[in-house]
Amino acid sequence: MRTLNAGLAGAKSRIKVARTGISAPRSVRQRLAGPASTPPAAALPLNSIIVGDCLDELARLPPNSIDLVFADPPYNLQLEAALSRPDQSLVDAVDDDWDKFASFSDYDDFTRAWLDAVRKIMKPDATIFVIGSYHNIFRVGSILQDQGFWILNDIVWRKANPMPNFRGRRFTNAHETLIWAAKGVGAKTYRFNYELLKAGNEDCQVRSDWLFPICTGAERLKDASGRKIHPTQKPEALLARIMLAASNPGDLVLDPFFGSGTTGAVAKRLGRNFIGVEREPSYASAAQARIAKIEMLPHEAIATVPSKRSEPRIAFASLVEAGLIQPGETLVDEKRRHAVIVRADGAVSLGAIAGSIHKIGALAQGLPACNGWTFWQFFRDGKYEPIDALRAKARASLREAAE
Amino acid sequence: MRTLNAGLAGAKSRIKVARTGISAPRSVRQRLAGPASTPPAAALPLNSIIVGDCLDELARLPPNSIDLVFADPPYNLQLEAALSRPDQSLVDAVDDDWDKFASFSDYDDFTRAWLDAVRKIMKPDATIFVIGSYHNIFRVGSILQDQGFWILNDIVWRKANPMPNFRGRRFTNAHETLIWAAKGVGAKTYRFNYELLKAGNEDCQVRSDWLFPICTGAERLKDASGRKIHPTQKPEALLARIMLAASNPGDLVLDPFFGSGTTGAVAKRLGRNFIGVEREPSYASAAQARIAKIEMLPHEAIATVPSKRSEPRIAFASLVEAGLIQPGETLVDEKRRHAVIVRADGAVSLGAIAGSIHKIGALAQGLPACNGWTFWQFFRDGKYEPIDALRAKARASLREAAE
DNA sequence: CGCAGACTTGAATCCTCGA
DNA sequence: TTCGAGGATTCAAGTCTGC
């Protein structure tokens, strides 16, 4: 492993890393420690850039430690000749050595290797985002599937301001593709902050096509002479959408191709921990300086929206026990077509048949399933109301009791 | 090969096909015949649906005969359980036998086989569009690349009205992906009607993300009881964009997974010839009836926009010979910074240096290249005009002479 | 200082004919 | 097949310059 060229604090540990000075609040740190089977968070070089080859460095990280992976691997562009604009100015192409592969087969080998290494250190409920273009994304997608990852979505980043097609020989290449995948088919508990995204999208669920401008202006890292430091710096808005969607504050985000450090910058701002691996010391150094300047947003700004799924479960029986509803009361549906009697054991009776609020609701309608909480209504103070209102009351007193 | 169930005319030939009664005008038919090395168009079952297995049937078609391929192969959807909406109604999912594959490896074998068969019958300058979702498109893309196809674009069909994600566990799956590929790296002469597309897009080049509604309403084929005939009928607008972009009237379009026949319907309307292969007689029969009702648009509506590249080349010397411009006249650029003298041989002189209008234009500006036709202007009747106006005059008299 | 217009730039598999 | 030359081709943002 190489070390960074300059200006790195905290480089005394065996693994030499760049500490960027962010520290998660104690409460969220504990979440990171996770179950006893995963190594304690202290063993991880949190919020650091590891300068070195991604395969070597990933292998040194403890298994089952990463919550979210964002990977922006080389695209394997195959450019033959220089391209000039209609005004004869030259396009500054990506012709760096790190994007050169001898063949598709070489690229596939490389992809298999880093995906395998990443998979080992992902927690069972972690997910991964990989970004690419048509040059490489089909290779990446196939290999993800072959390795047992379970694709959740492919996502299209529509560029608001793409480079046009100067020769008029193709459609404007105006998007890049992200693949979002869980560690395996069985991983059903992955994080997806559905309500949070929906709340920020005019109460409409977020689609698989995202519109963002490319990274320009003040956000784009430049050297003293005004040249861009990294040819493919990603916009922070893209990474923010990803982290808000698929991680919580305090989670650990890995970026095996750290580059200019957009992942680290956004992670710090959103109160996530990160680990970045970057081969080029000059990129790592620029990223380190960039991240040092970032400040974490106030906790209120990054708090998660509690999802319905994460609310404590309440049994209808407990409402009866708590006296919120009395045995013998009648429940009806909104259209007053069906009526049931509440039993002392928390079941309801439809004629001679008894069962849960859900089962009986389904039976009454002849449907395979029914949400009894929203289907059944009770009568109080001259009006009908869904029994879900009683559940909300029960939850409120639970919260009070916890304080 | 099986034959269609019912109502098919023209089924007397050895290859039993459904003739749909469209006939290209003679002038465009001749284009189809192509060079002597390719079989005459008469040998092809033009504008027919071949009922049978696509691998068997494609192998019987003559090599180098297809201009454009549109393929909508099985998506290999991996649906585990029935999906119901929040109101408990059941989503009518794709669970047909033709979409069942035992493994990715089986799907890959199938994909390699049909792509190989299709590639053999494509003309050297033909292109192919394949549509898919994240379940299969990465397999298809990798195999296209492995077989030597040259990807020109990946294109995103953004659905204006996608099915929402009912469970709130993923992003709304709001797009499908198309891959557009040429037969090989060397195939530089593929058709792409850049000017036509641009003209229909507010004079702005068309991007790789396309917005279309999914196929609903009157366009959606339904049986007597109102059930949709095919689960994945594609919208005609999508096929129209594809054919307008990558084929000319009279071209031959192949669809190896014909389904409900959208490709045939649009081909007929736009004056293209088609061949469809479909395994299910019921789909083929519905498609045949559908296409029979379509009428071809008037020729004016489907005429190609002539591109500048396809105009006959005119040498500047021929303008001098024709007396459109006199030796000794002075040409200047728009900003009057440079001036050259026209020579009798059709070259121009900048001081002591002589050369073509392009070379001298480039030299004057210190640029690697220059379009002399638009750069240089001549003086006539009190005003300056680009010499391109003289070329237009020469072309006009050429056209007159040809009539 | 504001505004208008000129100039710059971005993950790009980006021409075609004839000798 | 290779080579040389004709000549066709760009959109949205951002920055810079001059008035």
Side-chain angles (χ1 to χ4, degrees):
Chain A
M1 174 192 290
R2 283 172 284 169
T3 60
L4 284 183
N5 282 340
L8 304 180
K12 285 189 182 172
S13 57
R14 195 188 65 78
I15 299 179
K16 295 196 176 166
V17 294
R19 302 264 170 209
T20 48
I22 125 165
S23 167
R26 193 162 172 279
S27 60
V28 291
R29 253 209 205 137
Q30 288 178 326
R31 292 197 64 259
L32 265 179
S37 64
T38 64
L44 290 163
L46 288 192
N47 305 311
S48 322
I49 307 167
I50 304 175
V51 185
D53 179 75
C54 110
L55 294 181
D56 299 340
E57 303 306 333
L58 294 178
R60 293 186 200 181
L61 295 174
N64 295 326
S65 51
I66 304 295
D67 293 292
L68 174 65
V69 180
F70 173 79
D72 182 11
Y75 283 12
N76 191 23
L77 300 184
Q78 292 142 54
L79 309 176
E80 289 181 355
L83 177 66
S84 51
R85 300 187 179 82
D87 66 1
Q88 305 302 326
S89 65
L90 218 61
V91 173
D92 185 12
V94 177
D95 57 355
D96 306 74
D97 283 341
W98 51 253
D99 198 44
K100 299 250 189 302
F101 294 85
S103 65
F104 282 129
S105 170
D106 276 14
Y107 187 81
D108 292 348
D109 290 344
F110 164 75
T111 303
R112 266 187 288 268
W114 75 258
L115 277 174
D116 190 52
V118 159
R119 192 154 191 266
K120 286 199 177 99
I121 59 177
M122 284 169 73
K123 289 184 184 169
D125 61 352
T127 62
I128 178 172
F129 284 81
V130 189
I131 188 167
S133 66
Y134 65 85
H135 308 85
N136 71 322
I137 199 68
F138 305 123
R139 326 297 303 187
V140 170
S142 291
I143 291 169
L144 277 167
Q145 290 176 318
D146 291 342
Q147 294 193 341
F149 286 94
W150 188 246
I151 297 181
L152 300 168
N153 278 116
D154 61 333
I155 291 156
V156 174
W157 167 29
R158 301 174 51 220
K159 300 183 183 183
N161 47 349
M163 179 155 60
N165 184 291
F166 296 119
R167 296 293 161 86
R169 294 293 295 151
R170 303 178 178 200
F171 298 99
T172 310
N173 203 346
H175 73 276
E176 294 188 22
T177 302
L178 294 130
I179 302 176
W180 181 37
K183 192 169 177 179
V185 182
K188 302 277 186 197
T189 58
Y190 61 87
R191 275 167 297 289
F192 179 55
N193 296 318
Y194 177 76
E195 287 82 5
L196 182 146
L197 291 170
K198 189 171 170 181
N201 191 44
E202 307 199 328
D203 266 330
C204 197
Q205 58 179 221
V206 173
R207 298 168 41 117
S208 56
D209 53 330
W210 302 353
L211 181 67
F212 291 115
I214 60 176
C215 181
T216 57
E219 191 184 318
R220 187 96 200 203
L221 296 191
K222 287 175 185 147
D223 65 15
S225 57
R227 275 186 302 252
K228 58 190 176 192
I229 282 183
H230 194 281
T232 70
Q233 184 180 341
K234 295 292 174 289
E236 296 192 0
L238 182 71
L239 270 293
R241 165 79 56 91
I242 289 170
M243 284 186 215
L244 289 172
S247 73
N248 290 326
D251 277 359
L252 177 53
V253 183
L254 169 73
D255 186 337
F257 306 97
F258 203 62
S260 57
T262 306
T263 301
V266 175
K268 185 172 175 186
R269 179 170 296 125
L270 296 181
R272 274 71 171 167
N273 293 295
F274 71 88
I275 295 176
V277 181
E278 175 51 49
R279 202 172 55 175
E280 302 286 335
S282 63
Y283 294 161
S285 159
Q288 201 270 338
R290 171 189 187 182
I291 296 166
K293 287 185 209 145
I294 302 278
E295 297 209 3
M296 190 173 114
L297 291 172
H299 285 89
E300 310 83 70
I302 55 179
T304 54
V305 174
S307 77
K308 286 185 185 160
R309 282 194 185 82
S310 65
E311 294 267 14
R313 290 207 165 199
I314 303 280
F316 183 65
S318 70
L319 302 190
V320 181
E321 289 160 9
L324 287 167
I325 194 156
Q326 302 299 325
E329 275 193 62
T330 298
L331 305 181
V332 299
D333 71 301
E334 192 182 12
K335 296 183 178 162
R336 320 281 181 258
R337 288 183 187 156
H338 311 285
V340 291
I341 306 293
V342 175
R343 292 160 44 111
D345 58 7
V348 293
S349 299
L350 177 70
I353 312 162
S356 75
I357 50 174
H358 311 298
K359 282 272 163 64
I360 299 296
L363 183 70
Q365 297 176 90
L367 289 175
C370 164
N371 182 346
W373 291 109
T374 52
F375 182 68
W376 296 114
Q377 310 197 337
F378 66 103
F379 189 79
R380 198 80 94 247
D381 300 330
K383 62 181 206 290
Y384 285 95
E385 216 177 340
I387 55 176
D388 210 17
L390 298 175
R391 181 168 65 159
K393 243 186 212 174
R395 277 180 176 149
S397 39
L398 263 184
R399 269 193 293 274
E400 267 174 44
E403 282 165 13
Chain B
M1 175 191 292
R2 285 169 286 170
T3 59
L4 284 183
N5 283 339
L8 304 180
K12 286 190 181 171
S13 55
R14 193 189 65 82
I15 299 180
K16 294 197 176 163
V17 294
R19 303 262 168 210
T20 49
I22 126 166
S23 167
R26 192 161 174 280
S27 60
V28 291
R29 254 210 204 135
Q30 288 177 323
R31 294 196 62 260
L32 263 180
S37 63
T38 64
L44 290 163
L46 287 192
N47 305 313
S48 322
I49 307 167
I50 304 175
V51 184
D53 178 75
C54 112
L55 293 182
D56 299 340
E57 303 305 335
L58 294 178
R60 293 187 199 181
L61 294 174
N64 295 325
S65 51
I66 305 294
D67 292 295
L68 174 66
V69 181
F70 173 79
D72 183 11
Y75 282 14
N76 191 25
L77 298 182
Q78 291 137 52
L79 308 174
E80 293 185 345
L83 177 66
S84 47
R85 299 188 179 84
D87 66 1
Q88 302 305 327
S89 66
L90 216 62
V91 173
D92 186 12
V94 176
D95 58 355
D96 305 74
D97 282 342
W98 49 253
D99 197 42
K100 297 258 189 297
F101 293 85
S103 65
F104 283 127
S105 169
D106 278 9
Y107 188 81
D108 292 348
D109 289 344
F110 164 74
T111 303
R112 267 187 287 269
W114 75 258
L115 277 174
D116 191 52
V118 160
R119 193 155 190 267
K120 287 200 177 97
I121 59 177
M122 284 169 72
K123 289 184 185 169
D125 61 353
T127 61
I128 179 171
F129 284 80
V130 189
I131 188 168
S133 68
Y134 66 81
H135 305 87
N136 71 323
I137 199 68
F138 305 122
R139 324 299 303 187
V140 170
S142 290
I143 290 168
L144 277 167
Q145 291 176 316
D146 290 342
Q147 293 193 342
F149 287 95
W150 191 242
I151 298 182
L152 299 168
N153 278 116
D154 60 334
I155 290 156
V156 173
W157 167 28
R158 300 175 51 220
K159 300 182 185 182
N161 46 351
M163 180 160 29
N165 184 291
F166 297 118
R167 296 286 166 84
R169 295 293 293 147
R170 304 178 180 200
F171 297 99
T172 309
N173 206 343
H175 75 275
E176 292 187 24
T177 301
L178 294 130
I179 301 175
W180 181 36
K183 193 169 178 181
V185 182
K188 303 275 186 195
T189 57
Y190 60 87
R191 274 167 297 288
F192 180 55
N193 296 320
Y194 177 77
E195 292 83 4
L196 184 146
L197 291 169
K198 188 172 170 178
N201 191 45
E202 308 202 327
D203 266 329
C204 197
Q205 59 179 218
V206 173
R207 299 169 38 120
S208 56
D209 53 331
W210 302 354
L211 181 67
F212 291 115
I214 60 175
C215 181
T216 56
E219 189 185 318
R220 186 95 201 206
L221 295 192
K222 289 177 184 141
D223 64 15
S225 57
R227 275 186 302 253
K228 56 192 178 191
I229 283 183
H230 194 279
T232 66
Q233 184 179 340
K234 294 292 174 288
E236 296 192 0
L238 182 71
L239 270 292
R241 165 79 58 89
I242 289 170
M243 284 185 217
L244 289 172
S247 73
N248 291 327
D251 276 359
L252 176 52
V253 183
L254 169 73
D255 185 338
F257 307 97
F258 204 61
S260 58
T262 307
T263 301
V266 175
K268 185 172 175 187
R269 180 171 296 126
L270 296 181
R272 275 71 172 166
N273 293 295
F274 71 88
I275 295 176
V277 181
E278 174 52 47
R279 202 173 55 175
E280 300 287 336
S282 63
Y283 292 162
S285 160
Q288 201 270 339
R290 171 188 186 182
I291 296 166
K293 286 184 210 148
I294 302 279
E295 298 209 0
M296 189 174 114
L297 291 172
H299 286 88
E300 312 82 72
I302 56 177
T304 54
V305 173
S307 77
K308 287 189 184 169
R309 280 195 187 88
S310 66
E311 295 269 8
R313 289 200 171 199
I314 303 279
F316 184 65
S318 68
L319 303 189
V320 181
E321 287 161 13
L324 287 167
I325 193 157
Q326 303 299 325
E329 275 194 65
T330 298
L331 306 180
V332 299
D333 70 301
E334 194 183 11
K335 296 182 179 163
R336 317 282 181 261
R337 287 183 188 157
H338 311 284
V340 291
I341 306 291
V342 175
R343 292 161 44 113
D345 59 4
V348 293
S349 298
L350 177 71
I353 312 162
S356 75
I357 50 174
H358 312 298
K359 279 278 158 61
I360 299 296
L363 184 70
Q365 298 176 91
L367 288 175
C370 165
N371 183 339
W373 291 109
T374 51
F375 182 69
W376 296 115
Q377 309 198 339
F378 67 103
F379 189 80
R380 200 80 94 241
D381 301 330
K383 62 182 204 293
Y384 285 96
E385 215 176 341
I387 54 176
D388 211 16
L390 298 175
R391 183 169 63 162
K393 244 186 213 176
R395 279 178 175 151
S397 38
L398 263 184
R399 269 191 296 272
E400 268 175 43
E403 280 164 16

